[in-house]
Amino acid sequence: VMADVSDGAANQPTNEDKSDDVSKDGGDDDDFVSKVPAEGEKEKASDSSVYRYIKEDLFTSEIYKVEIRNLPKFIGFNDLKKFLSKHGLNPHKIKLINRQTFAFVTFKNEEERDKAMKMVHGMQWKGQVLSVRLAKPKADPILRKRVREEGEGEGGPPPSKRADGEEEEEPLSVQLANVVTPLWNVPYEEQLRRKEKHCTKYLSCLFFFLNTDNLLQLTFLISSLCVLCYRQTEYRNKCEFLMSVGADGEDKTIGFRLGKYKGGSCAVVGPAQTCHVSAEAKRVVEDFQKFIRTTAYSVYSPETYEGHWKQLTVRTTRTKQAMAIVFFHPQKLDEDELGALKASMREFFTEGEGKGSGVTSLYFVREGQRTSPNPESLPCELVAGETSIHEELLGLKFQISPHSFFQVNTGAAELLYSAVGEWAQLDQDSVLLDVCCGTGTIGISLAKRVKKVIGIELSQEAVEDAKVNAKLNGLNNVEFHCGKAEDVFPNILNAVVSPSVTAIVDPPRAGLHTKVILAIRRAEHLKRLIYVSCNAKAAMTNFIDLCRAPSNRVRGAPFRPVRAMAVDLFPQTMHVEMLLLLERVDYKSQE
C-alpha cells in the first residue's frame, strides 16, 4: 500500500487522491512500470488521456516518484521512513512491496526528489548498496478501465457478469452500508468481541517484540481489557460527502462514494439510509442537494476536470448547531458570478427552502486544481451565520472551527476522557502535557485537577479554538503552543520543572514522530504516559520504542504497559480507539 507520510491527508477527491488509488493497485509491480509508456509513446498516451492527471499545473506526487532498489530484506514501512528522515529526506508517500527488495517513494516537489536521488543512490544500508531511479506514474484507473472496455467492445460483447440463477444485485443502500459501515449486519456484542480481540492481538505483539517472558503482566493486561461503548447508531458529528453523479443515475447527488476511484467509479449514494450519520446531518445533505440542483453549475468530474461542485462537509453538535462547508471549483467564473452564487446560497439557507436545515454556520471554499499537497491552506469564506459552532462535553463548552479537530463521536469521547482522567492520577502539583491536543478537549477537561496544562497542536486554527475554549470555561492555568510535536515538545518537556509530570498523547493515525518518543524516553522526570491510539497497528513502533531496553539510540529508562482499554468511537466498523497507560520503570526500585 502506498502510505501517506505527510502531515495531513487530503479531504477531497483530487489528482493526488487519484494517484493514491492507483498506487494501491494490487497488481504485479513489474506491470507498475511497464504499463507506463516509453518516451516515444508519449503522444499515444496523450491521445488516450490516461495520463492527463499529471499535467504540470496540477499537484500530484506521482510526477515526483522514484524507485529505490536493493533494499535490505524484511524492512518495513517505518524502517524505510526512519532511514529517509535520518538523512534529512521528507517523503510524501511510500509503497513497499511484500517480500520484494524495492519500493516506490514520492516527494512533494522536484527539488526534494532530486535531493533524494543524489543522496540515496550508492548509499549503504545494512550491508546493501542502494540504487535509485526515476519511476513513472500510473495511468488514470477510470480512463484505463474505459479504454479496456472499449477494446473489449471492438472484439464483441463482454461476458455477462451474472450467471443464470445467480441472485440479483443488492440494493444500493446495502452496497453503501457494506462500504461505509461494514459491520452493520453483525450483532453489536459480536462487534465488541472482535474489537477486543483486535486490541488483544496488538498487546500480545508488543510483549513479543519486547522479548519479555512476563506472562503474568500480559495476562493481567488482557484480562482487564474491556471495550466501552456509548451508542451504536447516528453517532458521527462530522461527515465528508462527495458531490457527483448518483449510482442511480441522478445528477448532482450528495453522498458517499460506492467504490474506490481505482475501481473505475465516481458514483455516489445518498446517506439517507446509513446508520452512522446523524439525522441532523442527513437533513443538511438533503437541503444542500436541493440547492445545487437549482443552480446551473454541474458537479466536478475528477476524470475530465470539468464541473464545479466537489464536496460537502457537515459538522453537528448536541447543542443543535450545524456547520456546512461546501467545496467548489471556480473554473473560469469571475468574481461577480461567484458572488451571485454565494448570495443565492445565503438566501436559500436563511430565507428560502433550506431555512429549516438547521445550518448555523455556512462556509464556501474555492478549491481549484491543487498546486500544493496541503488542503488546509484553502481559505474558508463565511457565507452566512456564525464563524464557529459550539459543543458541550463533560459539562464544558468547546468552540469548533472549520478545520479544527474534534472527536467524531462526542458521547464516546466523554467515556474516553473520563478514563484518561482516572488513570492519570493527577493532583494540584501535577503538570499535564497534552500532545496533539486539537481544540484542547482533554487538557481542558482535566485542568481543574492540576497545577498547569500545556497543549501542543499543529493546526493554528485549532490552537486559536483551544485558547478560546480555555477562556469559555474560566481557566487560567492552560497554555497552548502551535507547531509540529517533534519540533515543539522536546523543548517544552525539558523546561518543565515539577515532581509530578504526566503526558497524554492523542496523535493522528500514523502515530508520534520518533523525535517525540526519544524526548519522552530521555525526560526521566516524566513518570506516567497515556497513549490514545486510533490505529494500534500504526502505533506499534511507538509502543515498542517507549518500552524497549535503553540503547545508543533510545536513551532513558523505559516504560511498561500497565493498563489497557478500548472505546468504541466507530460502531458498525472495525475501527476502535485504544487507551494504553504506561509507567516509567524504576530500576533502583527493582534492584
Side-chain angles (χ1 to χ4, degrees), residues 2 7 14 16 91 169 197 269 275 294 413 429 499 525 550 588:
M2 181 72 92
D7 293 327
T14 64
E16 184 61 24
E169 193 176 55
K197 184 178 179 181
V269 177
C275 62
T294 66
D429 293 324
H525 59 299
K588 293 181 180 179

Side-chain angles (χ1 to χ4, degrees), residues 391-427:
E391 182 60 289
E392 292 182 355
L393 183 147
L394 294 175
L396 300 167
K397 296 179 181 179
F398 293 92
Q399 174 177 293
I400 305 171
S401 296
H403 290 312
S404 297
F405 171 78
F406 197 90
Q407 290 286 5
V408 299
N409 186 333
T410 307
E414 289 183 316
L415 297 176
L416 180 71
Y417 298 160
S418 296
V420 169
E422 178 187 341
W423 288 7
Q425 299 181 27
L426 303 169
D427 57 41

Side-chain angles (χ1 to χ4, degrees), residues 110-336:
E110 184 177 0
E111 181 182 354
E112 292 184 8
R113 181 200 64 189
D114 292 348
K115 177 184 174 182
M117 293 188 70
K118 291 177 183 178
M119 186 174 291
V120 177
H121 188 73
M123 187 179 286
Q124 274 202 344
W125 187 20
K126 296 185 179 180
Q128 299 292 105
V129 180
L130 306 180
S131 65
V132 186
R133 67 180 186 182
L134 289 174
K136 295 179 180 178
K138 290 196 72 176
D140 184 304
I142 283 187
L143 296 173
R144 186 174 61 191
K145 178 182 178 183
R146 184 164 299 160
V147 169
R148 187 185 304 124
E149 289 174 347
E150 289 174 355
E152 291 174 350
E154 292 174 2
S160 174
K161 291 184 180 179
R162 190 163 58 237
D164 292 339
E166 191 174 334
E167 291 184 5
E168 289 290 323
E169 193 176 55
E170 292 179 318
L172 291 176
S173 59
V174 175
Q175 293 182 49
L176 182 63
N178 291 335
V179 172
V180 296
T181 50
L183 300 185
W184 67 275
N185 59 349
V186 177
Y188 193 58
E189 293 75 12
E190 172 63 16
Q191 292 186 35
L192 295 180
R193 190 193 66 80
R194 292 184 188 182
K195 295 184 180 188
E196 183 176 330
K197 184 178 179 181
H198 173 82
C199 295
T200 299
K201 170 186 172 182
Y202 288 106
L203 290 174
S204 301
C205 286
L206 173 59
F207 275 73
F208 172 79
F209 280 114
L210 295 175
N211 294 317
T212 179
D213 56 358
N214 193 341
L215 295 179
L216 182 61
Q217 186 181 355
L218 174 61
T219 303
F220 171 75
L221 264 180
I222 293 175
S223 64
S224 64
L225 178 68
C226 63
V227 183
L228 302 181
C229 56
Y230 173 69
R231 60 187 298 177
Q232 303 172 26
T233 59
E234 298 189 0
Y235 57 85
R236 287 195 68 96
N237 58 39
K238 178 183 178 182
C239 289
E240 295 174 348
F241 304 96
L242 294 180
M243 297 172 163
S244 186
V245 176
D248 57 1
E250 284 285 336
D251 192 16
K252 299 184 183 179
T253 298
I254 303 177
F256 297 112
R257 189 180 284 173
L258 199 56
K260 294 183 178 180
Y261 189 92
K262 75 173 185 179
S265 173
C266 290
V268 300
V269 177
Q273 297 184 57
T274 56
C275 62
H276 67 314
V277 180
S278 68
E280 292 81 6
K282 290 177 182 177
R283 185 166 63 245
V284 174
V285 169
E286 181 181 358
D287 284 345
F288 225 104
Q289 185 169 277
K290 290 178 182 177
F291 172 72
I292 67 171
R293 287 178 176 178
T294 66
T295 69
Y297 304 114
S298 60
V299 292
Y300 177 78
S301 168
E303 175 189 342
T304 64
Y305 310 114
E306 298 172 347
H308 301 274
W309 299 109
K310 299 187 75 172
Q311 175 180 304
L312 176 68
T313 297
V314 180
R315 306 187 77 156
T316 56
T317 68
R318 296 190 293 191
T319 60
K320 302 304 179 184
Q321 292 181 311
M323 177 183 289
I325 311 164
V326 63
F327 293 79
F328 184 87
H329 194 311
Q331 300 292 1
K332 296 181 180 180
L333 298 180
D334 58 33
E335 286 300 321
D336 289 341

